[in-house]
Amino acid sequence: MHNVLIIGYVWPEPRSSAAGSRMIEFIELFRAQGWRVTFASAAALSEHRADLAALDVPEVPITLNCDSFDAFLSELQPDLALFDRFFSEEQFGWRVEKHCPNALRVLETSDLHSLRDARQRLLKAAQQRAGSESEKQQQGPVAAGTDELFRVMADDDMAQREIAAIYRCDLSLMISDFEQTLLQQHFGVPAALLQHCTLMLIPTATEQPPFEQRAHFLSIGNFRHAPNWDSVLWLKQQIWPLIRQRLPQAQLHIYGSYPPPKATALHNAKQGFHVLGWAADAHTVMVQARVCLAPLRFGAGIKGKLADAMACGTPSVTTPIGSEGMHGELPWGGAIAGDAEAFAAAAVALYQDQTLWQQAQANGARILAERFDRQQSGQALIARLHNLRDNLQTERRANFVGGMLRHHLHKSTQYMSQWIAAKNRNPASNDGQ
């Protein structure tokens, strides 16, 4: 294997999102093998995107529902096609199979989108039963177990689409072992189709100021990511007032790319609630904070902000959803709380108690060392890809469900895409309709 094509749902932004950091980690891993990497995306070029040219990775803008991608694919002839999230596989998977049938097809799930969507719908349903906006924000994190999550997800279009994409690919990369177990035990996805891969670009901060040199609380996250925006609302309405009752001079600095006007409108210096927008370097601001707050009421995957906090030696307070899939049986690097009162109390305790803070910092360092070993995770992935490559036909034959789904679903997707492409080539044919 020497030629890799990554089809990005978006251009990677490692300074804006955990998904962007993870994508850069894949690129660097593949380049370290001596493989050529090409990154293609139909998304608009973003202002915070990574400098792929510096990694010797060509950027190729592509178009949805356009045969020009087929010509590009036929010329490139990749040995491996990595789809960034299942939306990319739906759009381009059938084209890769048609023009490069022997290329490995690998799905980077990023996180299980259908799980995040199910939890969001459960939260909205609980809030709809409330009366006022204040009562809605009193609703705590979604606490549904795997049986209930399965019931909500199983009848939903997104779960059916996402899991179908997993079956159609030769391998799907799972960042969360919780999500991998959910897929295997409740949806019956074969273990042979999944790879637990915790790769994420988490450079440890070389200088970590001690407790007494740090100040303020911090919260960070891309505002375009729905769980992050929801966490800011919960902070504003419920959690931060409780913290300020105990610490009247406390300050909260909220960072994140793409803040909408409704977010910046929450800024209130008198309340110590500072919405500061994009941070050019998350570690620079994280390493100065004493405590990181991540009150996520729904979500999925691994939370990059919490991994960054550990790398910066910054204890964090989060919810069970925030810590999910990150620490296994190890003690959390801070505190995990399931309601606003407990969350605020834990945040204040960490902020004031130096001994507690130092123990939390040590716990975070241990989680990174034992659960996010970059070398081990990278080597395991490369070995799995080589084994797949060597036994490709046998592995595909064993995945009969995947072959069946490719045959039927890709035909319908293919015909729809070809119809749109033909329509775009001949717009006059639609006149009068």
Side-chain angles (χ1 to χ4, degrees), residues 276-404:
L276 302 175
W278 187 66
D281 187 333
H283 280 206
T284 297
V285 295
M286 182 71 78
V287 81
Q288 298 170 8
R290 186 174 290 181
V291 177
C292 173
L293 304 180
L296 296 160
R297 292 191 286 188
F298 67 94
I302 296 298
K303 315 309 179 293
K305 61 179 71 63
L306 294 172
D308 284 337
M310 295 176 199
C312 292
T314 306
S316 62
V317 185
T318 190
T319 62
I321 288 175
S323 66
E324 181 180 274
M326 294 193 71
H327 64 114
E329 299 300 319
L330 299 176
W332 183 248
I336 300 170
D339 61 68
E341 286 282 355
F343 196 101
V348 170
L350 272 173
Y351 197 86
Q352 294 182 311
D353 189 330
Q354 183 171 354
T355 300
L356 183 66
W357 187 92
Q358 289 172 335
Q359 183 58 59
Q361 185 183 64
N363 290 345
R366 185 182 175 193
I367 290 170
L368 283 187
E370 296 187 23
R371 299 273 299 179
F372 293 88
D373 186 319
R374 295 169 66 184
Q375 184 175 5
Q376 182 182 61
S377 188
Q379 289 176 347
L381 174 58
I382 295 300
R384 185 75 182 272
L385 293 175
H386 280 303
N387 183 65
L388 266 175
R389 183 72 178 177
D390 293 341
N391 302 279
L392 187 57
Q393 297 310 314
T394 300
E395 296 285 346
R396 286 181 175 173
R397 194 176 301 116
N399 181 19
F400 177 79
V401 172
M404 179 175 62

Side-chain angles (χ1 to χ4, degrees), residues 37-38 123 130 133 158-159 171 210 213 246 261 387 391:
V37 178
T38 301
L123 177 61
E133 182 63 27
M158 183 176 288
L171 189 67
Q213 292 181 16
R246 296 168 174 84
N387 183 65
N391 302 279

Side-chain angles (χ1 to χ4, degrees), residues 107-118:
L107 175 61
E108 157 53 0
T109 58
S110 183
D111 60 27
L112 204 58
H113 289 59
S114 50
L115 172 61
R116 173 167 23 102
D117 179 71

Side-chain angles (χ1 to χ4, degrees), residues 3-13 23-24 27 30 36-46 49-50 52-53 56-64 66 68-74 76-78 80-85 87-89 91-93 95-96 106 108:
N3 193 4
V4 177
L5 170 63
I6 300 176
I7 303 175
Y9 178 61
V10 295
W11 299 97
E13 296 186 13
M23 184 55 69
I24 294 299
I27 291 172
F30 297 153
R36 183 175 66 179
V37 178
T38 301
F39 196 99
S41 179
L45 294 174
S46 55
R49 74 184 189 280
L52 295 181
D56 195 25
V57 174
E59 289 183 347
V60 180
I62 53 178
T63 305
L64 297 174
C66 182
S68 61
F69 179 79
D70 299 351
F72 159 69
L73 200 60
S74 297
L76 186 66
Q77 284 298 310
L80 186 158
L82 179 71
F83 302 103
D84 175 24
R85 287 162 267 202
F87 312 105
S88 298
E89 189 278 337
Q91 287 287 341
F92 298 102
R95 294 181 185 271
V96 172
V106 178
E108 157 53 0

Side-chain angles (χ1 to χ4, degrees), residues 80 304 346 406 418:
L80 186 158
R406 289 198 308 274
Q418 289 176 334

